Amino acid sequence: MENDDVAIEVEEMLKKAQRLFATKSCCIYRVPHIIRQLNEDAYTPTVVSIGPLHHWNSRLISMEGHKQVYCQYFIIERSEASLSECKEGTAEDDVIASKPWMASRVGHDLLLLENQIPLFVFEKIYNLAFPPLLDAGGEFPSFILLAAHAFSCYNKQGLSSPAASSVAHFTDLLRYFYLPPSHTTRHLRKPEALVLGHSASELVEAGVKFQVTNKSSHGCILDLELEHGTLKIPHIKADDATEIFLRNIVALEQCHYPHDHYILDYVIFLGHLMKTNKDAGVLIKAGIIGCIFGGDYESKVANLFGGVGKNTVVSTTSACYLKFFNDLDDYCIHPWHSLMATLRRDYFTSPWKTAASFGGIVLLILTVIQTVCSLRQV
């Protein structure tokens, strides 16, 4: 092949080149394969697709007809309805609302990262459909307010609705609900491994007490405290839905917030705490983990929190978590705490060992007393 032909072929090839992400404002992503392969079902819709990535998935075809019915109802009836009429929609003729299992699955599907439409698209359609009502003195709710209400079960902190411009889509809204109200920007740009040298059961041996954060607090799952050897962690439910929302928020942070992975930090921390089934049992007994699994539930909890953070990339380090990890390790290696941990591990692990150790101590004390008395008599 001549040089000119090669040059022409290369030019043609380059013209067809496409960016992996079209613009910096991209907010809908395919979950990276290295993460997705760990649990593909956690990222795949089971009932309905609303975004482009799973459109016409053969498993979701049955919902397409229902979507058209909803669209027809929205265009023909709802856009012409008054506010009072909109409030009187009934569930009897609603195929989703009339079947609780389907409503639950649809709710889960709408939170998946791969199953999204940008929020501004919903907002524009909504504003076009109800312009007179939206202009009627603010009586009619905005779309972001409706979305926040629809997913209010995830808003444990009772946060006010965010500005529509600050939320990319429903998965991003879910992440917003789990961030602390006054989260600060991360100022350690050089990634440093967050490694906790002691698991939950080892921390207990060293004298650390686990306690669920007071439920009267603002309810943020990231609200961790270490005070006078007591580790306070907010309550979190552990079931299949927990794994789904944690996996999708972590995937969103990996793709869209690579330098602000607050939820990933939390998952990594719990993963370090629960390295074994025994460790998971410590947090369950303390009321920190509300386990809804059956069977070998301790193993399932440990696998859940240990698996969500796998194959992720940490590009920044949270100064708060780094101090937290260091303080826990320092507490455990303190000479007195280390000695107590050794005593608990070697001599007080069971009632029989405790009784034998106590008897040995008493015998030693009596021997010392007898020896002192004998010396005095001499």
Side-chain angles (χ1 to χ4, degrees):
M1 185 179 291
E2 297 293 334
N3 290 341
D4 291 343
D5 295 334
V6 172
I8 293 172
E9 186 171 337
V10 170
E11 288 178 0
E12 290 298 321
M13 178 185 68
L14 294 178
K15 288 179 182 179
K16 298 176 183 179
Q18 296 182 353
R19 294 178 182 270
L20 178 61
F21 302 121
T23 65
K24 291 183 179 179
S25 61
C26 172
C27 63
I28 303 174
Y29 303 88
R30 288 192 183 277
V31 178
H33 175 71
I34 195 170
I35 297 176
R36 200 179 199 280
Q37 66 179 347
L38 298 172
N39 186 352
E40 295 200 14
D41 289 342
Y43 308 102
T44 307
T46 58
V47 175
V48 62
S49 68
I50 63 168
L53 300 183
H54 290 275
H55 187 57
W56 295 119
N57 182 322
S58 59
R59 298 198 314 179
L60 310 174
I61 290 295
S62 61
M63 182 56 73
E64 293 302 311
H66 295 302
K67 287 165 63 176
Q68 292 170 9
V69 171
Y70 282 116
C71 182
Q72 183 183 41
Y73 181 66
F74 178 80
I75 293 173
I76 296 177
E77 298 185 34
R78 289 227 168 191
S79 60
E80 301 291 334
S82 66
L83 176 59
S84 59
E85 289 172 331
C86 287
K87 289 181 178 178
E88 298 171 357
T90 59
E92 286 78 7
D93 53 354
D94 189 327
V95 68
I96 294 178
S98 62
K99 295 180 174 59
W101 70 267
M102 183 177 286
S104 175
R105 293 312 311 170
V106 168
H108 286 157
D109 286 352
L110 295 182
L111 297 176
L112 306 183
L113 178 59
E114 292 187 350
N115 194 37
Q116 295 301 315
I117 291 177
L119 197 67
F120 72 84
V121 175
F122 285 117
E123 191 177 32
K124 285 187 176 180
I125 295 173
Y126 182 79
N127 293 345
L128 286 172
F130 304 107
L133 297 175
L134 291 168
D135 294 337
E139 183 182 5
F140 205 70
S142 63
F143 183 79
I144 187 63
L145 187 62
L146 289 179
H149 177 73
F151 299 114
S152 60
C153 60
Y154 295 98
N155 188 8
K156 305 298 183 183
Q157 304 183 70
L159 299 177
S160 58
S161 300
S165 59
S166 65
V167 177
H169 42 57
F170 295 145
T171 314
D172 199 22
L173 178 64
L174 183 62
R175 178 177 179 269
Y176 166 81
F177 286 149
Y178 282 92
L179 292 179
S182 58
H183 62 280
T184 56
T185 55
R186 309 160 73 88
H187 56 273
L188 286 182
R189 289 302 173 188
K190 181 180 179 182
E192 185 173 347
L194 290 174
V195 179
L196 184 61
H198 302 82
S199 66
S201 57
E202 292 170 340
L203 290 172
V204 170
E205 289 179 358
V208 175
K209 296 179 181 178
F210 284 85
Q211 182 179 320
V212 65
T213 302
N214 193 329
K215 293 182 180 179
S216 64
S217 66
H218 58 70
C220 177
I221 62 171
L222 310 186
D223 187 17
L224 311 174
E225 297 178 52
L226 177 62
E227 188 176 49
H228 305 304
T230 299
L231 181 54
K232 298 180 181 179
I233 305 176
H235 174 83
I236 184 172
K237 181 176 67 174
D239 58 14
D240 293 331
T242 306
E243 180 171 4
I244 290 173
F245 81 73
L246 283 179
R247 281 191 175 277
N248 281 274
I249 297 178
V250 166
L252 172 64
E253 289 187 333
Q254 288 285 283
C255 298
H256 201 64
Y257 300 103
H259 303 303
D260 298 296
H261 40 72
Y262 297 96
I263 309 301
L264 176 58
D265 289 340
Y266 168 79
V267 169
I268 289 175
F269 173 65
L270 288 187
H272 279 294
L273 283 180
M274 293 183 282
K275 295 175 182 176
T276 66
N277 299 352
K278 182 180 178 182
D279 298 322
V282 170
L283 271 67
I284 294 172
K285 185 177 180 180
I288 294 167
I289 305 292
C291 182
I292 304 180
F293 292 120
D296 187 12
Y297 60 91
E298 291 180 348
S299 174
K300 291 178 181 177
V301 169
N303 290 336
L304 189 162
F305 290 99
V308 172
K310 283 185 178 178
N311 296 347
T312 54
V313 175
V314 175
S315 59
T316 63
T317 304
S318 165
C320 178
Y321 272 88
L322 187 61
K323 183 179 185 305
F324 207 74
F325 278 46
N326 291 336
D327 288 347
L328 280 172
D329 283 334
D330 290 344
Y331 186 92
C332 290
I333 63 177
H334 187 280
W336 174 250
H337 300 145
S338 179
L339 174 61
M340 294 303 297
T342 302
L343 291 174
R344 290 190 185 95
R345 182 180 64 250
D346 296 340
Y347 300 101
F348 302 103
T349 55
S350 69
W352 295 109
K353 274 193 174 183
T354 301
S357 301
F358 181 75
I361 293 171
V362 172
L363 182 61
L364 177 61
I365 293 173
L366 291 176
T367 302
V368 171
I369 292 174
Q370 184 179 15
T371 303
V372 171
C373 292
S374 299
L375 290 174
R376 284 187 174 181
Q377 289 177 356
V378 173

